[in-house]
C-alpha cells in the first residue's frame, strides 16, 4: 500500500478477503486505515466472523457492510492532514458500489481531501504463489476429485445422459467430502465433445469421445481436472487424436519450470499438435492458475511473457476439437518447482474405453 501511495483501502472481492483475514462467508468487506484493519459484515455472520477473522477488528452492523466500511475509512481520512488516497479493487467494484463509496467520502470527509484510486490485483499478486499450507490444501482437493473418478468411470454406459454422468460425478464428490464443485461440471459426448465448454445436456451417450471436466472445493481451495474417455471402439483416427493431445500435454508439462515464460509452455503444446497437423483445432489457451478461485493468474497462453515462479499451481490442458466429429482434452494440475514441476493429478491418462 505504501508503494502504491494508498492511505486506505477497501477489499471487496471475497476470495481476497478470505485470503487476507480468513473469513469464508458471502458478505463482508475488509478495510485498512491509519495502520488498522477492520472487517465489516452483517448479523448473519456474527459468530462465523468472530471465529474466523484474524488480524482485523470485527464490526457487525445491520446495514450493508460496504457502506459501513466506506464510512469508517472516510472518518479516518477526515483526520488526515493532507490529501488522502483510497484504493478500491477496480475489477471487483461495480458502478453502484463506487457511487456508494464516493457518497460516504463526501458525507464524512468532504470532497476535496480524498481521492478514490482504482487498483488492480494488489492481493492477487500475493495469491499467485501458494505457500506450504495452501499447497497441502490444494493437494487434498485434487486427491478427492481424482479419487472419485474410477467409480464414475465404472458407471458410464452407452445410452446414459450427460446430465446423469454429471450427477454421478457430483454425487460421488459430495459423498467423498467435497464442500462443493469448483465450477459447473462439463460432460460432453460424441459430437458435443467438440465444444470445449459444453454444459451437460439430456443427450444420450453415443459412440465417441466423452470429455469430463470437473473439480471440487475443499477447505476453500479448488481442483480442476479433465479426462476424455471413449464409448465404444476407437478407430485409428480417434486414437491418433488422443495420442497427439496426450503428447502435447506431456511436452507442456516438461516445459514447466520456474523462470520459463508462460507463453513458452503454451508453445510447447502447440508445437506437438502442429506435427500432427492438429494445431488449428486447439482453440483455447493451455492453462490457468488455480487456488481459492478456479481461474487465477497466471494465464498460460500464446504470447504471455509472465515468468512461472516456484509455488505457482497451474493447469496444463491442451485440447483438439473437430466440429461435427468430436474433441479430446486432457488436464492436470501441476506445482511449479525450481527445477520443473510436480504433477498433482494422479489419475492415469491412457485412453479408457467404456
Ligand atoms: Zn478443467
Ligand atoms: Zn482448467
Amino acid at each position: 500500500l505504501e508503494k502504491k501511495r494508498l492511505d486506505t483501502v477497501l477489499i471487496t472481492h471475497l476470495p481476497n478477503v478470505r485470503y487476507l483475514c480468513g473469513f469464508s462467508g458471502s458478505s463482508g468487506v475488509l478495510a485498512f486505515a491509519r495502520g488498522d484493519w477492520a472487517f465489516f459484515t452483517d448479523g448473519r455472520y456474527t459468530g462465523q466472523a468472530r471465529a474466523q477473522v484474524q488480524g482485523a477488528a470485527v464490526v457487525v452492523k445491520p446495514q450493508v457492510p460496504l457502506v459501513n466500511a466506506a464510512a469508517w475509512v472516510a472518518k479516518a481520512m477526515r483526520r488526515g492532514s493532507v490529501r488522502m488516497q483510497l484504493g478500491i479493487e477496480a475489477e471487483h467494484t461495480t458502478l453502484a458500489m463506487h457511487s456508494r463509496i464516493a457518497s460516504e467520502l463526501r458525507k464524512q470527509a468532504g470532497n476535496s481531501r480524498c481521492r478514490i484510486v482504482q487498483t488492480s490485483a494488489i492481493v492477487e499478486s500475493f495469491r499467485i504463489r501458494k505457500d506450504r499450507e495452501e499447497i497441502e490444501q490444494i493437494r487434498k482437493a485434487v486427491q478427492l476429485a481424482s479419487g472419485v473418478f474410477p467409480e464414475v468411470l465404472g458407471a458410464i454406459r452407452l445410452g446414459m445422459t450427460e446430465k446423469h454422468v454429471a450427477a454421478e460425478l457430483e454425487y460421488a464428490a459430495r459423498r467423498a467430502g467435497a464442500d462443493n464443485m469448483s465450477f459447473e461440471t462439463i460432460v460432453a459426448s460424441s459430437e458435443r465433445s467438440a465444444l470445449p465448454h459444453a454444459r451437460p445436456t439430456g443427450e444420450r451417450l453415443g459412440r465417441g469421445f466423452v470429455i469430463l471436466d470437473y473439480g471440487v472445493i475443499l477447505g476453500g481451495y479448488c481442483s480442476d481436472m479433465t479426462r476424455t474417455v471413449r464409448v465404444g471402439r476407437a478407430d485409428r483416427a480417434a486414437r491418433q487424436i488422443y495420442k497427439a493431445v496426450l503428447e502435447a500435454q506431456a511436452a507442456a508439462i516438461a516445459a514447466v519450470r520456474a523462470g520459463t515464460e508462460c507463453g513458452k509452455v503454451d508453445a510447447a503444446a502447440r508445437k506437438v499438435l502442429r506435427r500432427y497437423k492438429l494445431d488449428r483445432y486447439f482453440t483455447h489457451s493451455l492453462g490457468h492458475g488455480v487456488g481459492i478461485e478456479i481461474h487465477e493468474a497466471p494465464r498460460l497462453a500464446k504470447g504471455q511473457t509472465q515468468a512461472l515462479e516456484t509455488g505457482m499451481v497451474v493447469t496444463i490442458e491442451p485440447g483438439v476439437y473437430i466440429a461435427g466429429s468430436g474433441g479430446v482434452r486432457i488436464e492436470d494440475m501441476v506445482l511449479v518447482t525450481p527445477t520443473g514441476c510436480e504433477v498433482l493429478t494422479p489419475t492415469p491418462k491412457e485412453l479408457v474405453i467404456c
Side-chain angles (χ1 to χ4, degrees):
L1 298 181
E2 256 167 40
K3 210 156 61 181
K4 295 186 186 285
R5 297 198 177 172
L6 297 171
D7 304 288
T8 62
V9 70
L10 287 174
I11 305 295
T12 47
H13 187 46
L14 287 167
N16 288 342
V17 170
R18 179 176 190 143
Y19 183 77
L20 292 177
C21 75
F23 178 74
S24 67
S26 68
S27 167
V29 175
L30 189 60
F32 175 83
R34 298 171 74 86
D36 284 322
W37 286 95
F39 173 74
F40 296 81
T41 187
D42 61 62
R44 293 171 298 165
Y45 290 112
T46 310
Q48 187 178 335
R50 300 231 157 97
Q52 289 183 326
V53 173
Q54 289 182 12
V58 174
V59 183
V60 182
K61 283 188 177 172
Q63 303 91 335
V64 182
L66 179 68
V67 172
N68 294 323
W72 184 75
V73 296
K75 267 183 212 145
M77 289 169 99
R78 187 173 55 191
R79 280 182 245 138
S81 52
V82 288
R83 194 176 158 91
M84 306 268 271
Q85 307 222 79
L86 163 66
I88 57 164
E89 298 183 287
E91 278 107 353
H92 308 291
T93 306
T94 62
L95 286 171
M97 286 161 78
H98 185 279
S99 4
R100 288 190 125 160
I101 296 166
S103 114
E104 283 306 313
L105 286 194
R106 265 196 310 274
K107 255 200 283 183
Q108 308 278 352
N111 233 347
S112 56
R113 301 264 290 282
C114 308
R115 200 163 82 92
I116 296 176
V117 180
Q118 296 191 22
T119 71
S120 174
I122 296 186
V123 184
E124 284 85 343
S125 69
F126 292 95
R127 282 173 49 198
I128 195 165
R129 291 175 65 154
K130 275 69 184 172
D131 66 23
R132 195 182 309 158
E133 266 176 60
E134 292 183 288
I135 292 166
E136 275 323 298
Q137 203 54 61
I138 290 171
R139 255 183 229 286
K140 285 182 191 158
V142 168
Q143 277 158 10
L144 190 152
S146 289
V148 303
F149 190 69
E151 182 186 334
V152 174
L153 213 50
I156 292 177
R157 299 270 177 280
L158 192 71
M160 207 176 195
T161 66
E162 293 173 348
K163 283 183 183 174
H164 188 164
V165 177
E168 293 286 346
L169 256 171
E170 294 179 6
Y171 182 51
R174 282 286 199 170
R175 266 185 311 156
D179 296 331
N180 210 337
M181 304 311 283
S182 52
F183 57 93
E184 273 183 62
T185 300
I186 295 170
V187 177
S189 67
S190 313
E191 284 178 25
R192 299 189 73 258
S193 62
L195 309 170
H197 259 198
R199 287 214 174 108
T201 65
E203 203 72 41
R204 293 184 182 280
L205 304 192
R207 290 175 207 288
F209 286 121
V210 185
I211 291 180
L212 304 139
D213 186 350
Y214 70 103
V216 301
I217 303 175
L218 188 62
Y221 284 81
C222 295
S223 79
D224 188 4
M225 69 179 274
T226 307
R227 289 294 180 269
T228 302
V229 301
R230 183 85 187 175
V231 175
R233 212 178 59 83
D235 58 17
R236 248 192 66 135
R239 282 182 188 280
Q240 185 78 350
I241 291 172
Y242 192 89
K243 183 167 172 267
V245 174
L246 190 55
E247 268 179 43
Q249 204 228 13
I253 289 172
V256 172
R257 68 182 292 166
T260 301
E261 284 179 12
C262 291
K264 295 221 162 103
V265 183
D266 180 278
R270 282 179 214 280
K271 191 175 159 196
V272 171
L273 294 177
R274 197 169 314 127
R275 232 174 38 227
Y276 285 89
K277 299 196 164 51
L278 290 170
D279 51 316
R280 70 189 175 100
Y281 302 108
F282 178 19
T283 47
H284 53 74
S285 53
L286 179 74
H288 53 89
V290 183
I292 295 177
E293 289 178 278
I294 185 64
H295 290 118
E296 294 187 356
R299 248 167 60 80
L300 278 68
K302 212 174 190 167
Q304 288 286 317
T305 54
Q306 177 167 27
L308 289 169
E309 293 172 54
T310 303
M312 286 181 174
V313 173
V314 298
T315 67
I316 302 290
E317 48 179 310
V320 162
Y321 312 92
I322 302 173
S325 164
V328 172
R329 176 165 69 256
I330 302 169
E331 173 182 28
D332 286 331
M333 275 169 62
V334 308
L335 167 65
V336 181
T337 65
T339 52
C341 72
E342 180 194 337
V343 178
L344 301 176
T345 314
T347 306
K349 291 180 270 196
E350 298 86 55
L351 180 59
V352 175
I353 312 282
C354 296

